[in-house]
Amino acid sequence: MPLWHIYHPAEVYTEQDKQDLAAEITEIYTRVGLPAFYVVVQFHEMPASTMFVSGKPATDTVRVVVKHLARHLDDPERRKRMTEYIDGVLRPYTGDRGLHWEFHIEDTPRDQWMIAGFWPPAAGSDAEKAWAQANRAMPY
């Protein structure tokens, strides 16, 4: 699953902004075959004086932590393209609004991940395709 933690200043995003960004993030993964329910986006509103950069309050900073569990990219060129693509998805919600943004991607080992008590099916397998079509975890 991709798990995105988006830490942002209070009131910088409307409910519609959050829905739109979460939909765009979900599209990143569903277009390569991942089930939509794998994608989890959490917005963490940071009240003033709770985020600091260089030891000073940061009221214009958005920090994103992306955790990949379902797929990992080993090829350096593909990793670079993915990172640049994510930057492009974030830019309209950050830099284009005058906000400072930063993100990083972590790859969590697939064998340390379960959904609703199930080990996720192999990438690209018929079982994973069935999960994607049903948009839920189920026995396989």
Side-chain angles (χ1 to χ4, degrees):
M1 105 173 54
L3 169 60
W4 287 51
H5 292 281
I6 301 172
Y7 301 90
H8 60 88
E11 300 180 22
V12 75
Y13 295 128
T14 65
E15 291 304 311
Q16 189 63 55
D17 289 334
K18 292 175 186 178
Q19 289 176 21
D20 292 346
L21 180 52
E24 289 185 44
I25 291 166
T26 301
E27 175 66 19
I28 292 170
Y29 301 100
T30 57
R31 62 182 249 264
V32 296
L34 267 76
F37 77 94
Y38 277 17
V39 184
V40 177
V41 180
Q42 297 179 339
F43 290 88
H44 304 277
E45 192 168 279
M46 305 298 293
S49 79
T50 62
M51 185 181 291
F52 292 78
V53 175
S54 299
K56 298 178 182 172
T59 59
D60 67 345
T61 298
V62 175
R63 183 68 173 86
V64 180
V65 177
V66 179
K67 296 176 180 254
H68 284 166
L69 294 85
R71 300 285 193 282
H72 301 145
L73 299 175
D74 295 323
D75 177 63
E77 188 56 38
R78 290 183 70 204
R79 290 168 69 101
K80 180 180 177 183
R81 283 195 314 265
M82 176 62 144
T83 303
E84 290 172 346
Y85 189 83
I86 287 173
D87 187 64
V89 168
L90 289 172
R91 188 174 299 270
Y93 298 92
T94 55
D96 291 354
R97 297 179 182 200
L99 298 166
H100 171 78
W101 77 105
E102 183 177 326
F103 71 92
H104 77 277
I105 302 166
E106 299 174 1
D107 288 335
T108 299
R110 190 173 172 87
D111 63 352
Q112 294 181 324
W113 168 46
M114 294 183 91
I115 299 176
F118 297 109
W119 293 105
S125 67
D126 288 342
E128 186 183 64
K129 291 173 187 171
W131 280 28
Q133 185 173 2
N135 199 32
R136 67 180 178 85
M138 57 191 177
Y140 62 97

